[in-house]
Amino acid sequence: MAELAALLIGDAPEVWAGLGFVVDDGAVHVSGVRHQLGGAAKGVRDWSLRGLEDGVDAIDGFPLGLDVAPAEPTPAHPNGVVALDHVVLFTPNLGRTIEAIESVGIDLRRVRDTGSPAEPRQQAFFKLGDVVLEVVGPKTPSGDGAPRFFGLAWTVDDPAATAAFFGDKLKPFKDAVQPGRRIATLSSSAGSTVPHAFMSGEPAT
């Protein structure tokens, strides 16, 4: 099974330290993913996957440019993050991107309609180890460009404690699309160039 190994984030290490992540040698480890920090360009700029066949160096025109390193354990982050729930990838051509991901052996789990009547979209979901890859695109293709990462959604142990840690930099928790879960988004005033969402865990069954 392919697993998300690393992401390159265009934020300085001190920014993520201020967000309550444990930074070790310029990187943050969550769910076996190395979030490498630094560089001038904003946002999530590069990635890598474990478990792909040799010779796969890009998916749908988005290069897999980072080194693949062994998974590191998730430390006790002061912000309460215990896992990386999902990452969001935008594409102008959802069908093309789905086909490209499936072609390297990653199975499509489901597709969901979203957006608005004026701007209908779809979400396609894949599993990369413990992390969900959510691919979002218009129902009708809108261009030939490569996909690009948008944001990161984290699972937290105690939403109230996470809200207290961030204070007014975190919007109030509300019901998530996922049944039984709550979600809150981080204000851009917190200093990151990446949108962050924090979610409660899966409800007990």
Side-chain angles (χ1 to χ4, degrees), residues 85-99:
D85 187 85
H86 64 273
V87 297
V88 181
L89 188 72
F90 278 164
T91 175
N93 189 325
L94 186 62
R96 184 200 69 199
T97 301
I98 290 173
E99 182 177 341

Side-chain angles (χ1 to χ4, degrees), residues 10 38-42 45:
K42 298 179 180 180
R45 309 194 314 275

Side-chain angles (χ1 to χ4, degrees), residues 38-99:
K42 298 179 180 180
V44 182
R45 309 194 314 275
D46 204 346
W47 62 325
S48 66
L49 300 175
R50 300 185 194 93
L52 295 181
E53 294 183 1
D54 291 342
V56 178
D57 57 7
I59 294 179
D60 196 22
F62 194 157
L64 293 157
L66 294 183
D67 291 338
V68 178
E72 298 280 348
T74 303
H77 295 290
N79 59 17
V81 165
V82 295
L84 177 60
D85 187 85
H86 64 273
V87 297
V88 181
L89 188 72
F90 278 164
T91 175
N93 189 325
L94 186 62
R96 184 200 69 199
T97 301
I98 290 173
E99 182 177 341

Side-chain angles (χ1 to χ4, degrees), residues 84-173:
L84 177 60
D85 187 85
H86 64 273
V87 297
V88 181
L89 188 72
F90 278 164
T91 175
N93 189 325
L94 186 62
R96 184 200 69 199
T97 301
I98 290 173
E99 182 177 341
I101 294 172
E102 290 184 309
S103 73
V104 299
I106 303 171
D107 294 332
L108 174 66
R109 298 302 180 97
R110 67 186 180 96
V111 175
R112 173 181 177 271
D113 288 334
T114 186
S116 65
E119 192 176 0
R121 293 180 176 181
Q122 289 184 310
Q123 298 165 303
F125 298 91
F126 302 84
K127 282 299 292 290
L128 299 176
D130 293 332
V131 181
V132 172
L133 174 64
E134 176 187 323
V135 185
V136 181
K139 295 190 75 170
T140 301
S142 62
D144 299 324
R148 59 182 178 83
F149 277 107
F150 177 67
L152 306 171
W154 311 96
T155 301
V156 300
D157 182 57
D158 182 345
T162 296
F165 177 88
F166 284 110
D168 60 6
K169 293 181 179 178
L170 188 70
K171 297 178 182 178
F173 276 88

Side-chain angles (χ1 to χ4, degrees), residues 166-184:
F166 284 110
D168 60 6
K169 293 181 179 178
L170 188 70
K171 297 178 182 178
F173 276 88
K174 61 182 182 180
D175 289 341
V177 172
Q178 298 87 340
R181 301 185 72 183
R182 305 275 289 170
I183 188 170

